[in-house]
Amino acid sequence: VLGLSGGADSTALLLALDELLQAGRLDLKIIPAHLDHGLRVEAGAEDASWALALASELGFEAAAGCAQVKERAAQTGDNLEQAARRARYEFLSGVMAERGARLLLVAHTLDDQAETVLLRLMRGSGAEGLSGIEPLRALDQKGGKDTLLARPLLGWARRAETEEYCRERGVEFRVDQMNLDESFARVRVRRQLLPLMASFNGRVVEALARTARLLGEDASALALEAGKLLEAASVSDEDGMSDKSRVGEDGPDDEKSAGVGTSFVPELRVDVLKRAHVALRRRALRLWLERGRGDLRRLELAHLLAVERLFEGERGGRLVELPGGLAVRLNRGRLRLELKRG
Amino acid sequence: VLGLSGGADSTALLLALDELLQAGRLDLKIIPAHLDHGLRVEAGAEDASWALALASELGFEAAAGCAQVKERAAQTGDNLEQAARRARYEFLSGVMAERGARLLLVAHTLDDQAETVLLRLMRGSGAEGLSGIEPLRALDQKGGKDTLLARPLLGWARRAETEEYCRERGVEFRVDQMNLDESFARVRVRRQLLPLMASFNGRVVEALARTARLLGEDASALALEAGKLLEAASVSDEDGMSDKSRVGEDGPDDEKSAGVGTSFVPELRVDVLKRAHVALRRRALRLWLERGRGDLRRLELAHLLAVERLFEGERGGRLVELPGGLAVRLNRGRLRLELKRG
């Protein structure tokens, strides 16, 4: 399934795949899929019929759908961009399920990568955020490898090159008016910030993409090491058993693990965490909280710093409350994740 | 020794230290030191006498010096900013040696940190570059802890706050015309890029400094792991001895280590490198090359990628040439650093 908005990027990707298919250099059944987000009544319908016409002209069997993104945004509290993205991926996943497709292709370019890096940088992100958009990932959020999301243009194609290629092929792509609306931060990054940065380095888009790739590699190496640390700091079943026989100064509420949401996470040994490098420790704690809670929503650096202060002895506190009704308690040299009652 | 340019930053730092000394909250002998870079004949002399007057007014014994930065830049091929920085640190180190000082204080602010991060980002730097300016480091490039360089304002003070504080203390700081000259990239970052970014996030300077701190922690954790990897991949003396008895397919030039510059570095086992994460492997290779050569000048990511391709078997090559007359040779499952003759 190929996400086809009708913009230069996705049109160029469809045309390029068509060229490869025609030349016998690709063996893949491609289903162009277009979603009308319901944001621009007339233009939306025009884009949709344009996309279906192009697909059929090239001999592809396309899929189309409609969403009411504004209404969704109002319901969920997402902003318009978030709601549109969610609606799009839901639609595309639906098409994949219907047609038995296992690969989703989307046409993000180097420019999208650079914009994403800058948007995250301006929020003070770390390596994970600055690694930007992934070129390839499991589509299933839980990491199953059954369905994949691939971005074949991300690593090398500039947006202007996709426009140029469409022109060469004599196809007039669509221009989404929302891509010109400077009330969107991404549009302002594209039309103001990146041009200014290009006056420092004409290849700044490539430079930002390079940074994203390097930091993505770093983040993946650190995640691996943090996983090992979490393993080493976790109190195993046997430790837990022997622990139960000890008389704690904190009284009787001495379960080994806290059941939170649907998951149980072990207690963590503070001595092991203390010896670890802060960059690994913080990631191990984040992983632990994510496993305990099921997600990391609204969890910020400040919360992790507060948990660290628990065992750095800088404050007298023994409990840190976290968003979502969770708390981390320091108890006889161990950290325990608790679900707050009431 | 305190680097006193006469700008708001260093003037505020001197005034703040004076306030702490007066209040009996600091016990330190402070030597303000001012360098006239010889770039602005009249203004340079005015700044120098202003700095000496302020120091003596506050009761400090100051030091002053002159440099011919333009001439130095022409000789060394450095740009003006680099040559000025080098001249400054030479002068300040000289004052420290003369006076037996062990701590150098410079007045970089959060704004300097943000500017540095952006300048490096626009060149596509990785975590090390993006970690920006260090708050504290050994002054000696070789890492000796005898003399330290500290930047007490870096983690929290905005440039505007240093200006405000000078005004509160009734001291009229100097304005360096070069700080208004937009032919310098740093000045344009300060006067154009950061203001535009602040229209996205009013606290973007703090956000960039936060990113720098996080990536600095990551880089330090990765350096630690890369050091372990280099250790694990290095062929030990004993391995080397037993190796010599083997008959190599590559003939007789089979020394265990190559003497390069003043250092010897061991051969590296390709099997160990291959199993390692790319983010650690690349850092281990860089560390190995740095030890072999004494520095990393002109060594770029492309060179490391070429060395990696040696053992990834993507190309048939067995030798990669590096800047500075060095080469890395793949020889029976090991990498060897060679000094090119001729």
Side-chain angles (χ1 to χ4, degrees):
Chain A
V1 169
L2 183 153
L4 178 65
S5 69
D9 303 356
S10 58
T11 303
L13 180 57
L14 180 62
L15 292 171
L17 293 172
D18 171 62
E19 187 177 323
L20 290 170
L21 286 167
Q22 296 299 329
R25 296 179 59 190
L26 188 68
D27 180 22
L28 209 60
K29 187 185 168 196
I30 294 181
I31 304 163
H34 176 90
L35 180 70
D36 179 351
H37 294 79
L39 290 168
R40 301 161 307 131
V41 179
E42 213 165 303
E46 279 173 26
D47 285 357
S49 61
W50 179 93
L52 290 174
L54 175 68
S56 110
E57 204 176 296
L58 295 170
F60 296 110
E61 198 181 302
C66 284
Q68 300 301 324
V69 167
K70 229 174 245 167
E71 289 73 2
R72 283 178 64 122
Q75 278 168 20
T76 57
D78 284 340
N79 68 35
L80 223 49
E81 282 163 296
Q82 287 167 335
R85 189 183 309 116
R86 269 185 222 274
R88 203 156 52 236
Y89 281 100
E90 258 176 41
F91 163 68
L92 293 169
S93 299
V95 174
M96 290 176 75
E98 261 170 43
R99 311 283 182 108
R102 294 175 54 196
L103 179 62
L104 175 60
L105 298 174
V106 289
H108 291 102
T109 59
L110 272 183
D111 294 73
D112 294 298
Q113 182 69 297
E115 289 158 18
T116 300
V117 169
L118 288 175
L119 284 165
R120 295 187 181 169
L121 179 76
M122 291 190 290
R123 292 198 296 259
S125 291
E128 285 75 11
L130 296 176
S131 62
I133 311 172
E134 288 163 296
L136 184 69
R137 70 167 169 86
L139 192 56
D140 177 359
Q141 293 294 342
K142 286 175 190 75
K145 295 276 156 113
D146 285 354
T147 52
L148 290 174
L149 168 63
R151 297 178 167 105
L153 304 183
L154 187 73
W156 61 279
R158 294 291 310 265
R159 187 174 292 132
E161 292 175 313
T162 66
E163 293 170 359
E164 184 54 33
Y165 178 66
C166 288
R167 280 187 216 104
E168 274 174 30
R169 294 280 305 262
V171 173
E172 209 172 312
F173 55 85
R174 309 289 291 178
V175 175
D176 185 339
Q177 291 304 313
M178 283 173 69
N179 286 338
L180 307 172
D181 180 350
E182 300 206 349
S183 67
F184 291 106
R186 183 176 287 272
V187 175
R188 278 217 301 135
V189 166
R190 184 178 307 155
R191 294 167 64 91
Q192 296 178 12
L193 188 54
L194 275 168
L196 177 56
M197 290 181 118
S199 74
F200 289 84
N201 172 6
R203 293 179 62 80
V204 73
V205 167
E206 288 83 354
L208 290 167
R210 183 171 103 148
T211 289
R213 188 166 49 76
L214 290 173
L215 296 183
E217 287 167 358
D218 290 355
S220 118
L222 290 164
L224 218 65
E225 298 296 327
K228 289 183 205 163
L229 172 60
L230 183 57
E231 188 72 23
S234 293
V235 176
S236 72
D237 273 351
E238 284 144 54
D239 296 342
M241 293 304 282
S242 67
D243 190 41
K244 283 198 169 168
S245 64
R246 266 196 258 155
V247 179
E249 55 185 356
D250 291 287
D253 73 331
D254 190 23
E255 311 108 286
K256 185 177 64 66
S257 316
V260 179
T262 55
S263 305
F264 283 82
V265 289
E267 291 186 13
L268 300 185
R269 288 177 50 182
V270 165
D271 56 340
V272 176
L273 293 175
K274 269 182 146 167
R275 279 196 302 271
H277 193 288
V278 60
L280 300 180
R281 183 169 66 204
R282 212 166 282 160
R283 283 177 171 84
L285 284 172
R286 195 158 55 180
L287 189 58
W288 182 63
L289 293 172
E290 183 179 14
R291 285 185 187 163
R293 218 176 73 162
D295 64 61
L296 286 168
R297 253 181 297 166
R298 288 188 294 141
L299 195 81
E300 293 178 8
L301 182 57
H303 301 122
L304 290 176
L305 294 176
V307 173
E308 285 186 330
R309 274 197 301 272
L310 262 188
F311 55 80
E312 277 169 358
E314 285 178 17
R315 303 261 174 107
R318 306 181 59 82
L319 185 81
V320 169
E321 303 198 351
L322 302 174
L326 281 191
V328 175
R329 183 183 296 278
L330 175 67
N331 183 27
R332 296 191 329 207
R334 296 180 179 179
L335 293 183
R336 187 167 60 197
L337 192 59
E338 296 183 344
L339 185 60
K340 273 175 56 196
R341 285 147 190 115
Chain B
V1 169
L2 184 154
L4 178 65
S5 70
D9 303 357
S10 58
T11 303
L13 179 57
L14 181 62
L15 292 171
L17 293 172
D18 172 62
E19 186 176 324
L20 290 170
L21 286 168
Q22 297 298 328
R25 295 179 59 190
L26 189 67
D27 180 21
L28 209 61
K29 188 186 167 197
I30 294 181
I31 304 164
H34 177 89
L35 181 69
D36 180 352
H37 294 78
L39 291 168
R40 301 161 306 131
V41 179
E42 213 165 304
E46 280 173 25
D47 285 357
S49 61
W50 179 93
L52 291 174
L54 174 69
S56 110
E57 204 175 296
L58 295 170
F60 295 111
E61 198 182 301
C66 284
Q68 300 302 325
V69 167
K70 228 175 244 165
E71 289 74 3
R72 283 178 65 122
Q75 278 167 22
T76 57
D78 284 341
N79 67 35
L80 223 49
E81 283 163 295
Q82 286 167 336
R85 189 183 310 117
R86 269 185 223 274
R88 204 157 52 237
Y89 280 100
E90 259 176 40
F91 163 68
L92 293 168
S93 298
V95 174
M96 290 177 75
E98 261 170 43
R99 311 284 182 108
R102 294 175 54 194
L103 179 63
L104 175 61
L105 298 174
V106 288
H108 291 102
T109 60
L110 271 182
D111 294 73
D112 294 298
Q113 182 69 296
E115 290 157 18
T116 300
V117 170
L118 288 175
L119 284 165
R120 294 188 181 169
L121 179 76
M122 290 190 291
R123 292 197 296 259
S125 290
E128 286 75 10
L130 296 176
S131 62
I133 311 172
E134 289 163 296
L136 184 69
R137 69 166 170 87
L139 191 56
D140 176 1
Q141 293 295 341
K142 287 175 188 76
K145 295 276 156 109
D146 284 355
T147 52
L148 290 174
L149 167 64
R151 298 178 167 104
L153 305 183
L154 187 73
W156 60 280
R158 293 292 310 265
R159 187 174 292 131
E161 292 175 314
T162 65
E163 294 170 359
E164 184 53 35
Y165 178 65
C166 288
R167 280 187 215 104
E168 273 174 30
R169 293 281 304 262
V171 173
E172 209 173 312
F173 55 85
R174 309 289 292 177
V175 175
D176 185 339
Q177 291 304 314
M178 283 174 69
N179 285 338
L180 307 173
D181 180 352
E182 299 205 349
S183 67
F184 292 106
R186 183 176 287 272
V187 176
R188 279 216 301 134
V189 167
R190 185 178 307 155
R191 294 167 65 90
Q192 297 179 12
L193 188 54
L194 275 169
L196 177 56
M197 289 180 118
S199 74
F200 289 84
N201 172 7
R203 294 179 62 80
V204 73
V205 166
E206 288 82 355
L208 291 167
R210 183 171 103 148
T211 288
R213 189 166 48 78
L214 290 172
L215 296 183
E217 287 166 357
D218 290 355
S220 119
L222 290 164
L224 217 65
E225 298 296 326
K228 288 183 207 163
L229 172 60
L230 184 57
E231 187 71 23
S234 293
V235 176
S236 72
D237 272 352
E238 283 144 55
D239 296 341
M241 293 305 281
S242 67
D243 190 41
K244 283 200 170 167
S245 64
R246 268 196 258 155
V247 179
E249 55 184 358
D250 290 288
D253 74 330
D254 190 23
E255 310 108 285
K256 183 176 64 65
S257 315
V260 179
T262 55
S263 305
F264 284 83
V265 289
E267 292 187 12
L268 299 185
R269 288 177 49 181
V270 165
D271 57 339
V272 176
L273 293 175
K274 268 182 148 168
R275 279 197 302 271
H277 194 288
V278 61
L280 300 180
R281 182 169 66 205
R282 213 165 281 160
R283 283 178 170 85
L285 284 172
R286 197 159 54 181
L287 189 58
W288 181 64
L289 293 172
E290 183 179 13
R291 286 185 186 163
R293 218 176 72 163
D295 63 62
L296 286 168
R297 254 181 295 167
R298 289 189 293 143
L299 195 82
E300 294 179 7
L301 183 57
H303 300 122
L304 290 176
L305 294 176
V307 173
E308 286 185 331
R309 274 197 301 272
L310 261 188
F311 56 81
E312 277 170 357
E314 285 178 17
R315 303 262 173 108
R318 306 180 60 81
L319 186 81
V320 170
E321 301 197 353
L322 301 175
L326 280 190
V328 175
R329 183 183 295 278
L330 175 66
N331 183 27
R332 295 190 330 207
R334 296 181 178 177
L335 293 183
R336 187 166 60 196
L337 191 59
E338 296 183 344
L339 185 61
K340 273 174 57 196
R341 283 147 191 114

